[in-house]
Amino acid sequence: MAEIETEPVITIGLNTGETDYDYSMAELDALCEANALAVVETVTQNLNRPVAATYFGSGKVDELATIVLDTGATMVVANDELTPSQIRNLEAVVKVPVMDRTGLILAIFSNRAQSREAKLQVELASLQYQMPRLHTAASQRLDQQTGTSAGGGFTNRGAGEGQRELNRRVLQRQINHIRHELKDVDKAAETKRQQRERVQLPNVALIGYTNAGKSTIMNALIKRFGVNEDKQVMVKNMLFATLDTSVRQLQFDDAKKLLLSDTVGFVSKLPTTLVEAFKSTLYEAANADLLVQVVDYSSDNRDDMMTTTMDTLHEIGVPDLPMVTVFNKADLTETDYPFRTGDDLIISANDEASINLLVDVIKEKVFKDYVTATFLVPFDKGDVVSYLNDHASVLATEYGATGTLIKAEVTTIDFHRFSDYLVEDRDSANN
């Protein structure tokens, strides 16, 4: 497979005193790498606030222009969202396109989107971003990278209309059209969600920072407990490898079942337009019975990552739900694993004992309301026996003169559903 050709770029950042400044700049480099951009130089400046006209001070802008010329960089990427005038004025001096952090993330999302829903959501966010930037070269560059059609991507240059043909009325018409299409997609997705909810299985959602290992954990669980182990999700060591929420059904050895969701990862300074666009994609997290926050334990910035995750959850309206925190990638550290402290786990997704511990904790949380009971099912109610064998954790089975005696762990719903078959010596602490 041929290697993707990279483009030399210079990253720039303004240090206004934030505690996570160095981390955000390192993250910007990773974002560039995820979009086939090779960082050849980084230019920074310490200021209390951005210069309204040019982001950097005038002297630093002139220095940047010289560095662009010396390095042969073909683009400048800023660590903040710039105003249209800042982009225009910078481009006038440095003589190459300027892309801000928001534009970069949008380009990555466009390249990663796979489903019709994700593609439409990215296109909507991109058009909303382009609206005030119709006359900048950065908008043209973003248009080349993302396209303005649902099938756009980094390699799909020219898929959208040319910059000079765009105007606000055309963009607004496109935005309205996409919103209409998304409503139709949402209806189909809602139908699928309702079908899953009718099954009445617990829903566990994997959430967390991008590239923390959520998909690797999900695949490990699917391989061992998946109803269809072939339905694994894509895993790649890059930011935003997963944009579409994947839902898989798991069935454990004791017949307990649940739905497991793998959601889009988060990143600091995630553009507001993307947060809004992906609210429906994060439906599974908002309606989960348990959130499993996956954190890269090997990263020195894991605390910042956790803060970003929690801030993003609150921003998209995810309520305070039961949560366990899984510190993944412990195999890249000197820490012993697997290890549990309360609702915090230190694991490696590639370690069988770690997955066993995670499963134990998940089951402890989502199946805590299960009831142990004994049912005497008449022989002519074979469908009830079959149901219990398929959907309950059967602890013992005996055959008597009048029917089948089954001791099992069942949901409270099934406990009441089959209450006519309960025998007096049932073992239920909750009823």
Side-chain angles (χ1 to χ4, degrees):
M1 183 176 179
E3 292 186 6
I4 298 176
E5 185 178 348
T6 58
E7 185 173 355
V9 301
I10 293 174
T11 55
I12 62 174
L14 203 61
N15 188 351
T16 58
E18 307 99 323
T19 57
D20 63 344
Y21 172 74
D22 290 338
Y23 164 60
S24 69
M25 288 299 296
E27 187 179 71
L28 182 65
D29 286 352
L31 289 168
C32 287
E33 181 183 354
N35 203 38
L37 304 175
V39 179
V40 296
E41 189 75 54
T42 296
V43 179
T44 64
Q45 185 173 27
N46 298 326
L47 286 177
N48 291 330
R49 63 181 63 86
V51 175
T54 54
Y55 184 62
F56 276 171
S58 57
K60 184 63 73 171
V61 173
D62 291 338
E63 178 187 336
L64 175 62
T66 301
I67 295 173
V68 168
L69 190 62
D70 291 343
T71 60
T74 57
M75 188 194 305
V76 171
V77 182
N79 193 36
D80 296 287
E81 182 167 325
L82 305 183
T83 65
S85 61
Q86 285 173 332
I87 293 177
R88 286 196 299 270
N89 293 333
L90 277 173
E91 289 176 340
V93 178
V94 302
K95 307 301 182 184
V96 295
V98 174
M99 180 180 285
D100 62 13
R101 186 184 179 100
T102 299
L104 176 61
I105 294 176
L106 285 169
I108 295 170
F109 269 54
S110 179
N111 190 36
R112 300 285 189 273
Q114 296 294 322
S115 72
R116 176 66 175 165
E117 181 179 19
K119 290 176 181 178
L120 287 170
Q121 288 166 334
V122 173
E123 185 180 2
L124 176 61
S126 298
L127 290 172
Q128 290 172 328
Y129 169 80
Q130 288 185 45
M131 183 71 84
R133 295 170 172 80
L134 293 177
H135 301 292
T136 66
S139 178
Q140 173 68 23
R141 191 56 160 272
L142 176 67
D143 181 51
Q144 290 175 338
Q145 290 194 341
T146 66
T148 52
S149 67
F154 182 80
T155 59
N156 192 13
R157 295 180 180 271
E161 292 185 72
Q163 169 62 29
R164 285 172 294 205
E165 287 77 28
L166 290 176
N167 56 55
R168 291 183 183 277
R169 186 172 58 186
V170 172
L171 278 182
Q172 191 58 57
R173 188 181 303 124
Q174 290 175 318
I175 288 171
N176 293 339
H177 176 71
I178 292 171
R179 283 176 173 163
H180 180 75
E181 287 190 74
L182 273 172
K183 286 182 179 180
D184 293 337
V185 173
D186 286 343
K187 288 179 182 178
E190 179 63 24
T191 299
K192 291 182 179 179
R193 285 193 285 261
Q194 289 175 354
Q195 290 173 343
R196 290 198 297 267
E197 289 170 357
R198 280 197 292 269
V199 179
Q200 297 178 330
L201 295 179
N203 189 343
V204 177
L206 299 172
I207 63 167
Y209 218 74
T210 181
N211 206 31
K214 298 184 297 297
S215 297
T216 303
I217 289 175
M218 185 166 191
N219 282 342
L221 292 169
I222 293 172
K223 184 176 180 181
R224 290 182 56 186
F225 306 107
V227 174
N228 187 341
E229 66 178 34
D230 294 331
K231 288 191 174 183
Q232 298 203 350
V233 297
M234 186 186 77
V235 175
K236 200 165 185 179
N237 185 24
M238 64 168 62
L239 301 186
F240 299 119
T242 300
L243 287 189
D244 300 291
T245 296
S246 302
V247 182
R248 302 290 188 266
Q249 182 174 313
L250 304 184
Q251 179 171 326
F252 302 109
D253 296 337
D254 57 6
K256 292 187 177 72
K257 298 178 182 179
L258 58 78
L259 296 176
L260 183 67
S261 307
D262 182 22
T263 62
V264 60
F266 303 135
V267 69
S268 63
K269 301 181 182 179
L270 191 64
T272 302
T273 51
L274 272 177
V275 172
E276 286 295 320
F278 275 80
K279 275 186 176 180
S280 61
T281 303
L282 292 165
Y283 174 94
E284 304 296 341
N287 291 272
D289 297 288
L290 177 69
L291 297 178
V292 177
Q293 180 182 186
V294 182
V295 182
D296 182 353
Y297 191 60
S298 68
S299 172
D300 294 334
N301 304 111
R302 57 179 179 264
D303 290 339
D304 292 321
M305 294 176 176
M306 295 172 67
T307 298
T308 295
T309 296
M310 298 310 299
D311 289 345
T312 305
L313 287 175
H314 291 146
E315 188 175 354
I316 63 178
V318 174
D320 292 329
L321 297 171
M323 178 186 294
V324 297
T325 302
V326 174
F327 293 96
N328 187 33
K329 302 187 181 181
D331 53 313
L332 302 180
T333 73
E334 299 298 323
T335 306
D336 291 335
Y337 65 92
F339 182 77
R340 177 184 181 183
T341 302
D343 290 336
D344 294 344
L345 285 69
I346 299 176
I347 72 164
S348 166
N350 299 313
D351 173 56
E352 184 175 351
S354 294
I355 297 301
N356 289 339
L357 176 61
L358 175 58
V359 169
D360 289 343
V361 174
I362 290 176
K363 291 172 67 175
E364 171 190 312
K365 298 295 182 180
V366 300
F367 300 123
K368 64 180 182 298
D369 294 329
Y370 266 50
V371 177
T372 301
T374 303
F375 305 92
L376 179 59
V377 184
F379 288 125
D380 63 349
K381 297 294 182 180
D383 57 324
V384 175
V385 174
S386 296
Y387 179 90
L388 291 173
N389 282 323
D390 290 339
H391 297 87
S393 178
V394 176
L395 305 176
T397 301
E398 297 180 20
Y399 299 97
T402 59
T404 305
L405 198 66
I406 297 179
K407 184 176 182 180
E409 288 181 298
V410 296
T411 65
T412 53
I413 293 175
D414 285 342
F415 177 84
H416 294 292
R417 178 182 178 184
F418 300 120
S419 59
D420 290 346
Y421 306 118
L422 286 169
V423 296
E424 290 303 320
D425 64 343
R426 67 182 181 273
D427 177 15
S428 172
N430 298 323
N431 288 272

